[in-house]
Amino acid sequence: MPPKNPSDPPVDAADLLDLGDPAVVADPYPHLAALRAVAPLAWHSGMGTWLATGHAEAGAVLRDRRLGRLFSARTPADDWDTFNWLHADSILDSEPPKHTRLRRLVAGAFGRGHVQRLAPRIEELAAGLLADLPDGEFDVLAGYAEPLPVLVIAELLGVPEADRHHLRPWSQAIVRMYEVDRTPEVEAQARQAAAEFAAYVEQLAADRAAAPGEDLLSDLVQARDGSDRLSSHELVATAVLLLNAGHEASVNGFGNGLHSWLTAPERPAVDVADPAARARLVEELLRHDSPLHLFERTAKEPATVAGVDLQPGDKVAALLGAANRDPAVFTDPDRFDPTRDPNPHLAFGAGIHFCIGAPLARLELEVSLRTLMARYPALEVVEAQRRPTFVLRGFERLVVAPVSRPA
């Protein structure tokens, strides 16, 4: 619907930001900055959504409890049945009180030391992948950044090695539905992937119920809070969400961040062996070229957000990449600065939907960077090919090569 504040300047974000424009997808930041300078919360007539490009405005969208993640089931229902309940019964697309219950149960299972116990295993998996890489140039995504998160999440959930090759194709088919330029072919692939993925996890969960292991899926099967527990659909939806979000964001966060670092003018040196320096580097990798750019909310009741009056059903989206380059919060925001501290980026969201896997994502990035740079102390980008997507921003290929240091 049109803006509710006729006295405000009639800014239409569609005039400044076309998310289907290849130039915007390739480098959205100048376009996002231009929109932020005019209106940090603006109506986009093409999308039928308010867009928050300012850090304060995006934060308000993410934290306001009057705005929710209200999943709209796709139709026809018979065709989209599995896809619909995978979302409706997940933490990401639920609101209190259901969200509160699901997050409490899942956080309880997560809190049993699963992330901490994975640290040495992540290092072992990373070293194994590095051993197969050449001494010359290589695609750091295909050979390292893509397989590592899949292996880590598979380890976390206890997915057998023989089945792990299915996970990334299923996930990629489902998450393509979050883009703004879906095709009938994309939709058909998402429906098929959702059905196959759900059926697989259902069987794996049944196996864990009969013979529990020491993995997270076993803990999710047994997760209880008094008499409450995860339903079969909630269990499967949680596992699928962890697999999807747990490696899509990690792959793109690693690839985008590494590219930002390696291509920065006068590339700043970082001692990745120093935990404090490495932690700051990881936060800047996530801020500078965020893996997730758009996170939508829907007004559940009348609300005024950043001076805009919203009515129930109105859509508003936080543009996380734009918020993370807001000059009101980040000095010289387009510069990659691995010493930046504090670094209050919104790459993991905020509010009740803050990413539950953030500790694992940070650990994975820290270990994978330290392990990579231990073998290749200096790298340069040889080829970088972007994915043609805006919401989930990443690379198709990122070819790098070792740089010989002068004697």
Side-chain angles (χ1 to χ4, degrees):
M1 60 181 63
K4 310 291 194 310
N5 303 315
S7 62
D8 290 346
V11 175
D12 186 345
D15 295 334
L16 296 172
L17 189 66
D18 177 3
L19 301 187
D21 183 345
V24 173
V25 173
D27 184 7
Y29 297 107
H31 307 273
L32 296 171
L35 178 58
R36 188 194 313 107
V38 175
L41 183 60
W43 172 254
H44 194 293
S45 61
M47 299 173 66
T49 304
W50 290 89
L51 298 180
T53 51
H55 189 278
E57 292 75 16
V61 168
L62 295 172
R63 293 182 174 92
D64 197 311
R65 298 292 292 273
R66 297 168 298 179
L67 311 178
R69 289 284 298 179
L70 304 184
F71 177 71
S72 298
R74 298 187 178 276
T75 56
D78 288 346
D79 290 349
W80 290 96
D81 177 59
T82 304
F83 183 93
N84 283 339
W85 66 253
L86 277 178
H87 289 77
D89 285 327
S90 78
I91 301 173
L92 185 64
D93 289 295
S94 298
E95 284 295 298
K98 181 176 181 178
H99 174 273
T100 307
R101 182 179 65 83
L102 291 177
R103 191 167 183 115
R104 185 173 61 244
L105 288 165
V106 174
F110 248 114
R112 296 191 178 97
H114 290 292
V115 172
Q116 291 83 351
R117 73 173 173 82
L118 273 177
R121 184 60 176 145
I122 295 173
E123 189 161 358
E124 183 181 341
L125 292 169
L129 292 169
L130 285 176
D132 293 331
L133 294 179
D135 292 329
E137 67 181 48
F138 59 93
D139 184 348
V140 72
L141 295 183
Y144 190 63
E146 287 182 354
L148 181 59
V150 176
L151 293 173
V152 171
I153 293 294
E155 290 269 337
L156 180 69
L157 287 167
V159 177
E161 288 189 25
D163 299 333
R164 294 176 182 179
H165 65 283
H166 295 298
L167 301 181
R168 184 156 175 80
W170 281 336
S171 176
Q172 286 186 315
I174 292 171
V175 301
R176 287 192 192 104
M177 287 295 295
Y178 308 151
E179 296 298 333
V180 297
D181 56 351
R182 297 180 300 272
T183 65
E185 181 182 11
V186 166
E187 294 184 348
Q189 291 171 347
R191 289 194 297 269
Q192 180 178 348
E196 292 176 357
F197 207 165
Y200 175 79
V201 175
E202 283 175 340
Q203 182 57 57
L204 194 62
D207 294 342
R208 292 296 183 276
E214 296 184 357
D215 50 79
L216 177 61
L217 186 58
S218 294
D219 281 345
L220 290 173
V221 169
Q222 301 172 69
R224 270 184 196 282
D225 187 356
S227 61
D228 194 14
R229 66 186 306 164
L230 295 170
S231 71
S232 59
H233 276 187
E234 290 167 350
L235 172 65
V236 173
T238 297
V240 169
L241 174 63
L242 291 173
L243 284 159
N244 286 351
H247 76 265
E248 279 298 325
S250 293
V251 172
N252 294 334
F254 182 96
N256 293 355
L258 185 66
H259 179 267
S260 290
W261 185 25
L262 298 184
T263 59
E266 299 181 358
R267 172 188 159 188
V270 180
D271 180 4
V272 294
D274 173 31
R278 192 168 64 245
R280 288 191 294 269
L281 170 63
V282 164
E283 299 309 312
E284 185 68 348
L285 295 176
L286 292 165
R287 180 203 72 86
H288 189 262
D289 196 9
S290 300
L292 175 64
H293 266 240
L294 184 150
F295 201 53
E296 189 179 80
R297 294 285 198 273
T298 303
K300 299 184 291 183
E301 58 185 273
T304 299
V305 179
V308 172
D309 298 325
L310 302 174
Q311 298 301 317
D314 285 355
K315 303 287 187 182
V316 56
L319 297 187
L320 305 181
N324 289 341
R325 296 226 190 163
D326 187 342
V329 175
F330 303 99
T331 302
D332 198 1
D334 293 329
R335 181 170 65 93
F336 184 85
D337 179 6
T339 67
R340 194 181 296 274
D341 188 24
N343 192 342
H345 64 77
L346 297 175
F348 290 120
I352 66 169
H353 288 287
F354 182 82
C355 177
I356 198 169
L360 177 60
R362 286 185 164 110
L363 173 64
E364 200 172 289
L365 281 170
E366 286 198 31
V367 173
S368 58
L369 279 168
R370 176 168 51 80
T371 309
L372 177 70
M373 302 314 292
R375 173 167 176 184
Y376 304 101
L379 290 168
E380 65 180 357
V381 174
V382 175
E383 177 190 350
Q385 180 182 341
R386 281 279 180 195
R387 290 166 57 177
T389 53
F390 175 83
V391 177
L392 296 173
R393 180 168 170 77
F395 287 93
E396 293 278 6
R397 283 169 53 82
L398 184 60
V399 179
V400 298
V403 178
S404 298
R405 290 182 168 179

